[in-house]
C-alpha cells in the first residue's frame, strides 16, 4: 500500500512538471505573434499616412495647376490692373475722361474663307496668325505701357484702348502710332498669303469712357 501511494504521488509530480515545461515556449510564441501584429499594424498605419500624404500633395498640385490655368485665362481676358482690383475688392468700375478706343477690321475675310479647305480651319488659322503678329506689337515698351487689347472683340475685328491706366496726353499719339504699325504688319503679312491681299478698316474714338466688369 505504501509502495502504491508513492507511485501515485510520483506520477502527479511528473504531469505538473510537463505542464510547466510548455509555459515558456507558449509565452514566447504568443509574444512573437503579438509583436508581429503590432509591427504589422504600425507598418499599415505608416503606409496609410504616406498614401494620404501623397494624395494630399497630388490634390494640392492639381489645385495649383487649376488655379494657375484660371489666372492665365483671366489674364488673357482682363487687363492686369483690373484683375488685381477684382482680387482685392471683388468689383471694378471706373470713369475715364479721355480714352482712345480703336478698331481694325479685316473687311474681306469672307472672300478668303473657304470651308472646303480643311473645313475652314486653315482659313481661321491664317487669320489667327495675323492677329498674333499684331499682338507682338504690344511687346514694344511704349505700346505695352499705354495700350490694352480688348480681348472680348468678336469676328475679324481687333480692338484696343489706351488711357485706361495712364491718363495722359501721350497715350493718344501712342495709339495713332500703333495703328500705323498695324498697317505695316498687314503689308508684310500680305506678302505670304498666296496672292490674296487682306484689307483692313480702321476707326478710333477719343473721349470719355466708363469701364467695368459685369458679372
Amino acid at each position: 500500500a505504501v509502495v502504491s501511494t508513492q507511485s501515485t504521488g510520483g506520477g502527479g509530480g511528473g504531469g505538473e512538471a510537463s505542464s510547466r515545461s510548455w509555459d515558456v515556449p507558449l509565452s514566447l510564441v504568443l509574444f512573437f505573434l503579438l509583436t508581429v501584429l503590432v509591427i504589422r499594424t504600425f507598418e499599415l498605419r505608416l503606409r496609410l499616412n504616406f498614401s494620404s500624404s501623397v494624395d494630399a500633395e497630388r490634390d494640392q498640385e492639381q489645385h495649383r495647376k487649376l488655379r494657375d490655368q484660371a489666372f492665365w485665362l483671366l489674364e488673357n481676358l482682363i487687363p492686369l490692373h483690373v484683375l488685381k482690383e477684382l482680387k482685392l475688392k471683388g468689383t471694378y468700375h471706373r470713369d475715364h475722361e479721355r480714352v482712345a478706343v480703336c478698331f481694325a477690321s479685316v473687311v474681306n475675310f469672307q472672300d478668303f474663307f473657304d470651308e472646303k479647305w480643311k473645313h475652314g480651319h486653315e482659313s481661321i488659322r491664317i487669320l489667327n496668325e495675323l492677329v498674333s503678329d499684331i499682338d507682338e506689337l504690344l511687346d514694344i515698351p511704349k505700346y505695352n505701357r499705354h495700350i490694352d487689347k480688348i480681348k472680348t472683340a468678336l469676328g475679324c475685328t481687333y480692338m484696343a484702348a489706351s488711357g485706361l491706366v495712364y491718363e495722359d496726353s501721350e497715350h493718344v499719339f501712342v495709339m495713332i502710332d500703333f495703328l500705323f504699325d498695324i498697317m505695316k504688319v498687314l503689308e508684310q503679312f500680305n506678302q505670304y498669303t498666296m496672292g490674296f491681299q487682306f484689307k483692313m478698316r480702321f476707326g478710333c474714338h477719343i473721349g470719355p469712357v466708363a469701364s467695368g466688369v459685369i458679372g
Side-chain angles (χ1 to χ4, degrees):
V2 174
V3 174
S4 174
T5 302
Q6 288 176 349
S7 174
T8 304
E16 184 178 352
S18 175
S19 175
R20 289 178 180 177
S21 66
W22 282 100
D23 289 346
V24 174
L26 183 60
S27 298
L28 290 175
V29 170
L30 291 175
F31 178 77
F32 175 76
L33 292 176
L34 181 61
T35 303
V36 170
L37 180 62
V38 171
I39 293 174
R40 182 61 177 169
T41 303
F42 182 72
E43 181 183 356
L44 289 174
R45 187 171 298 175
L46 283 178
R47 289 184 178 182
L48 288 173
N49 290 337
F50 177 77
S51 177
S52 299
S53 177
V54 170
D55 291 341
E57 289 181 2
R58 184 166 55 247
D59 291 342
Q60 289 178 358
E61 182 64 24
Q62 185 176 7
H63 176 72
R64 281 194 295 268
K65 288 181 178 179
L66 291 174
R67 183 189 60 193
D68 292 343
Q69 289 174 357
F71 189 74
W72 176 85
L73 181 61
L74 286 174
E75 276 187 322
N76 280 270
L77 292 175
I78 302 174
L80 187 58
H81 70 279
V82 177
L83 189 57
K84 289 180 179 179
E85 189 163 333
L86 280 175
K87 281 188 169 183
L88 293 175
K89 300 180 180 179
T91 60
Y92 176 85
H93 57 86
R94 188 173 298 175
D95 294 324
H96 308 271
E97 294 183 0
R98 196 163 183 259
V99 171
V101 179
C102 299
F103 70 85
S105 296
V106 180
V107 295
N108 60 342
F109 179 72
Q110 291 299 326
D111 298 333
F112 176 78
F113 182 81
D114 185 0
E115 190 172 354
K116 296 178 181 178
W117 190 18
K118 295 186 177 180
H119 304 286
H121 295 165
E122 281 299 305
S123 301
I124 296 175
R125 181 187 64 81
I126 291 175
L127 176 64
N128 183 66
E129 288 182 0
L130 175 59
V131 173
S132 298
D133 288 348
I134 298 174
D135 282 341
E136 290 180 1
L137 293 174
L138 297 175
D139 294 332
I140 298 173
K142 70 174 182 178
Y143 296 148
N144 184 269
R145 173 181 169 83
H146 289 284
I147 295 178
D148 288 294
K149 177 183 177 182
I150 300 176
K151 304 178 180 68
T152 52
L154 300 177
C156 307
T157 299
Y158 191 99
M159 296 187 68
S162 64
L164 294 174
V165 181
Y166 301 100
E167 300 182 16
D168 51 27
S169 59
E170 182 184 359
H171 76 85
V172 176
F173 300 101
V174 172
M175 177 60 79
I176 294 172
D177 290 341
F178 182 66
L179 293 178
F180 277 110
D181 279 346
I182 290 179
M183 294 179 189
K184 293 177 183 178
V185 168
L186 179 63
E187 183 179 353
Q188 294 174 0
F189 189 82
N190 278 334
Q191 297 177 7
Y192 304 97
T193 52
M194 297 173 293
F196 188 86
Q197 298 294 298
F198 285 106
K199 298 178 182 179
M200 299 188 81
R201 179 176 62 243
F202 297 89
C204 191
H205 168 80
I206 302 172
V209 167
S211 64
V213 177
I214 301 174

